[in-house]
Amino acid sequence: MTPLGALIAGRIVERGPMPLDEYMALCLGHPEHGYYATRDPLGAAGDFTTAPEISQMFGELVGAWLAEVWRGQGAPARFVLAELGPGRGTLMRDALRVASRLPGFAEAAELWLVETSPALRARQAETLAGHGPNWAARVEELPAGPLYLVANEFFDALPARQFRRADMAWLERLVERAGPGLAFRWGPPRAEPELARRFPLAPDGAVVECCPAAEAIAGAVGARIASAGGAALVIDYGAWDGTGDTLQALRAHDSVDPLAEPGAADLTTHVRFRALAEAAGPVAVAGPVAQGVFLERLGITARANALARGRDAGGVAAIAAAHRRLTHPDEMGNLFRVLGFAPSNSAPLPGLDPAEPRPGMDR
């Protein structure tokens, strides 16, 4: 058992079985043994690869999006440019390379990175050394002013709860001791009126997920944008709504048992975009649209062609492969979705369709 596994096992002996969100929070965020506190998980030598690490095109188009939205909202003379969970800083580096071409953008931007991992903060400091980054541990710590925010593969790694419908009641998924290791079990049945409201059609035996931490952050971001201006771009894998067990653990780019080595693997669940949109409150919601559609609308094919000019055959093939991976429906193109928030009186957000009213959701 890992050191964190021993700590978790001790807590279970002391306090009883542990809800899934508490387990995920310890595995990912424990200050000494947590997954993100102890490593840089990205790249071929890590456990997974994100879109900004696949190609500069991704970050560049996000930068173009930020610049266009800022300009369309009157180009505020000072604003907070923030990224949630910025990895190595690659996305923001590429975004600023493009956005800074718009006169006044770089001078007006105050760069903030919401990051708790010491290992990743060190990498971000290297990558963004020329841009004067600041760090915060929570969204609420960001300074006042209009907020232009990006969150790519951030919400999927927040601690989630799982429940199973059992007739008119709900059972919560718990982690318990099982011999020398850990195991899942379902807790006792209880009434959960909020789950019944959110998942009225869930059949008996269905598993549903909710993420209070994600909804709290979406609420804070939405309230900030509604009052101070700005916009937010959320890119992640998931769907508007739905049910099912989506918990997964990744290590060395392969799926592993989420209970086998606590703190040594990345844990995620799919994002439920409807919950984020509802939590965001009095803002205009755009999307979600498929990542491939979003990137094509922003001009990724033209950018790929421009990058390919003058390259040898190997370079052209690498750019074509990155384009396919980011946009093709069989790759990241349909799995990932893009959601936007903006003030209710702002212009439509580039690349995104205005959200239509959906059943059970007020607009």
Side-chain angles (χ1 to χ4, degrees):
M1 185 176 288
T2 62
L4 182 60
L7 185 152
I8 290 171
R11 289 198 184 185
I12 292 172
V13 169
E14 179 183 348
R15 306 175 190 176
M18 178 181 293
L20 177 62
D21 61 336
E22 183 180 348
Y23 175 76
M24 288 184 67
L26 287 169
C27 286
L28 298 175
H30 187 275
E32 183 179 359
H33 303 300
Y35 179 78
Y36 284 107
T38 56
R39 75 202 68 215
D40 173 356
L42 295 159
D47 296 318
F48 58 88
T49 300
T50 60
E53 304 294 335
I54 293 170
S55 171
Q56 69 188 72
M57 295 184 289
F58 186 84
E60 288 174 345
L61 292 174
V62 169
W65 187 91
L66 288 166
E68 176 59 23
V69 173
W70 175 74
R71 184 197 62 78
Q73 293 184 355
R78 178 196 164 276
F79 68 93
V80 176
L81 176 61
E83 184 177 358
L84 307 184
R88 294 172 169 171
T90 305
L91 186 156
M92 189 55 68
R93 179 199 63 197
D94 294 339
L96 284 169
R97 184 170 58 250
V98 170
S100 296
R101 296 175 185 172
L102 186 63
F105 185 94
E107 294 75 14
E110 182 178 336
L111 179 59
W112 283 81
L113 307 174
V114 178
E115 179 64 70
T116 58
S117 166
L120 290 175
R121 282 192 179 195
R123 289 299 302 268
Q124 294 154 15
E126 294 175 3
T127 304
L128 297 165
H131 299 284
N134 305 280
W135 283 269
R138 303 167 63 244
V139 168
E140 291 81 2
E141 297 174 9
L142 296 174
L147 174 65
Y148 294 82
L149 179 143
V150 178
N152 178 63
E153 289 200 57
F154 170 78
F155 286 98
D156 64 88
L158 296 178
R161 301 174 71 186
Q162 287 185 335
F163 295 85
R164 190 181 75 195
R165 188 155 201 168
D167 195 13
M168 301 303 292
W170 299 87
L171 319 178
E172 183 163 14
R173 196 175 198 185
L174 307 173
V175 178
E176 66 176 358
R177 286 294 305 269
L182 302 171
F184 287 123
R185 58 165 284 194
W186 294 103
R190 64 176 188 254
E192 291 284 350
E194 181 61 18
L195 292 180
R197 183 194 71 81
R198 294 188 184 201
F199 303 99
L201 302 180
D204 193 45
V207 174
V208 302
E209 297 173 340
C210 60
C211 187
E215 293 174 31
I217 292 172
V221 170
R224 171 70 175 274
I225 289 172
S227 64
L233 190 68
V234 176
I235 307 168
D236 226 313
Y237 51 87
W240 173 253
D241 210 346
T243 62
D245 175 5
T246 69
L247 176 67
Q248 62 178 340
L250 280 177
R251 188 172 187 187
H253 299 267
D254 200 6
S255 296
V256 296
D257 181 347
L259 299 179
E261 295 183 273
D266 184 36
L267 300 179
T268 67
T269 58
H270 284 206
V271 173
R272 187 168 172 263
F273 287 99
R274 175 175 181 158
L276 299 186
E278 289 181 335
V283 292
V285 177
V289 301
Q291 176 178 290
V293 172
F294 177 74
L295 293 176
E296 290 290 5
R297 288 174 176 176
L298 295 187
I300 191 172
T301 297
R303 181 58 180 147
N305 291 335
L307 287 174
R309 292 191 194 106
R311 302 288 184 99
D312 60 20
V316 171
I319 292 168
H323 178 279
R324 175 184 170 85
R325 188 168 179 189
L326 292 173
T327 64
H328 197 277
D330 293 337
E331 302 274 355
M332 298 174 74
N334 267 357
L335 175 62
F336 284 76
R337 301 279 165 172
V338 185
L339 186 73
F341 302 149
S344 57
N345 61 350
S346 65
L349 293 173
L352 296 170
D353 302 320
E356 298 179 357
R358 295 173 168 96
M361 181 175 178
D362 295 331
R363 289 286 188 209

